Amino acid sequence: MNWLLVVAGAVVGAPLRYLTDRAVQQRHDSVFPWGTFVVNAVGCLVLGVLTGAAMAGAASSWVVLLLGPGLCGALSTYSTFSYETLRLAERGWGFLAAANAVVSVLVGLGAVHLGSQVARQLFA
Amino acid sequence: MSRRGSRPAPGAAEAIDPDVDLHVPAQRAEPQGRVLAAVAVGGALGASARYGISLLWPAAPGAFPWATLWINASGCALIGVLMVLISEGGRTAPHPLLRPFAGVGVLGGFTTFSTYAMDFSRLLDEGEARSALAYAGLTVVAALGAVWAAASVTRFAVRGPVAR
């Protein structure tokens, strides 16, 4: 049953990442991987809110499984992020590669922290 | 047209984004239902594997989240192998659903940025600031090192016989 909740979340999360990546790329012509950056930042923010809500007792365990390891886990990605960083470096855009790594990590860590703090205040 | 003699522009296969790169003309078409279905099924498989590993190898409170680190590092190594095989591998074009299924779906669903960030935040909340910082840095180094090493080894294996 728990496994089915994770699968249900992932079945939505993975295509949502693909479609968001496309939609973001259609709006600019930069080589910087904004699409992956956006899904990772959003995934971190949502997981932060979810965890904060769960700590405050406002999210049941099935919602946590569906949206946590399911939706957010599949929406966010480390493999695409690292491959894009490698490609940027290989193409000679070392600065963009370093910026992608640093900004993605800082924003992701910040988003999850912000989300959980806000949720704890909201649902306390 | 003074481009004669200049170096050729990077090939169309030289995409930055392994999932979908709209700089590549062939990838600008609207996604078909079967592509989205391949991504969804692959994502479900990848997420299931990740969830299974997290159950078999749970991180105790305050402990270093090795499971997530290995999940992300191994997923990054595998995308390095996959993308080199797809873009530089054989003489025949790979199946059009291979990349959506295995790359976007399975590996994208297997690896996770959100759990990584949450592990960091949880370690901070538990007063393990040094572990949190070590985990944050080590994951980035392991992931980037894995994708670089795996892509390099695969490239060598693919091109080696050709170069002779």
Side-chain angles (χ1 to χ4, degrees):
Chain A
M1 181 57 198
N2 288 348
W3 169 73
L4 278 180
L5 288 167
V6 174
V7 166
V11 160
V12 175
L16 193 59
R17 165 163 42 83
Y18 180 74
L19 292 173
T20 305
D21 195 355
R22 285 187 65 98
V24 171
Q25 284 186 40
Q26 273 166 356
R27 279 158 182 77
H28 69 87
D29 195 35
S30 146
V31 294
F32 192 85
W34 288 113
T36 307
F37 172 81
V38 167
V39 289
N40 279 342
V42 171
C44 289
L45 187 67
V46 173
L47 185 62
V49 170
L50 180 71
T51 307
M55 281 176 171
S60 63
S61 64
W62 72 267
V63 171
V64 169
L65 280 170
L66 179 74
L67 300 183
L71 183 80
C72 292
L75 178 67
S76 68
T77 172
Y78 225 95
S79 52
T80 305
F81 156 72
S82 70
Y83 185 77
E84 285 166 343
T85 307
L86 174 73
R87 291 299 300 144
L88 285 172
E90 285 180 347
R91 289 279 293 271
W93 289 304
F95 174 76
L96 285 181
N100 184 40
V102 170
V103 174
S104 294
V105 168
L106 290 183
V107 168
L109 299 183
V112 83
H113 199 68
L114 176 76
S116 72
Q117 294 301 322
V118 168
R120 273 187 248 188
Q121 297 294 320
L122 272 179
F123 297 110
Chain B
M1 300 296 278
S2 59
R3 314 230 11 201
R4 182 186 288 240
S6 65
R7 294 176 57 138
E14 302 271 310
I16 296 292
D17 189 328
D19 291 354
V20 56
D21 197 320
L22 300 185
H23 294 100
V24 181
Q27 294 189 33
R28 284 186 205 139
E30 287 302 312
Q32 299 156 308
R34 60 192 196 125
V35 171
L36 292 178
V39 171
V41 172
L45 288 174
S48 297
R50 167 167 46 76
Y51 180 60
I53 291 172
S54 75
L55 291 182
L56 292 173
W57 198 359
F64 200 86
W66 287 109
T68 317
L69 196 158
W70 280 109
I71 285 168
N72 282 332
S74 58
C76 290
L78 289 172
I79 197 130
V81 173
L82 178 76
M83 287 309 296
V84 170
L85 288 180
I86 285 180
S87 54
E88 305 165 26
R91 292 178 190 137
T92 54
H95 192 283
L97 292 182
L98 176 62
R99 185 152 124 165
F101 173 75
V104 190
V106 176
L107 294 179
F110 182 58
T111 62
T112 172
F113 209 96
S114 53
T115 307
Y116 158 72
M118 183 44 77
D119 287 340
F120 171 82
S121 181
R122 185 177 51 77
L123 283 170
L124 271 192
D125 284 347
E126 288 163 354
E128 303 283 345
R130 286 173 76 172
S131 280
L133 287 173
Y135 172 69
L138 193 60
T139 299
V140 174
V141 171
L144 295 180
V147 72
W148 172 78
S152 302
V153 168
T154 310
R155 205 166 272 150
F156 180 78
V158 169
R159 286 179 182 173
V162 180
R164 261 189 290 151

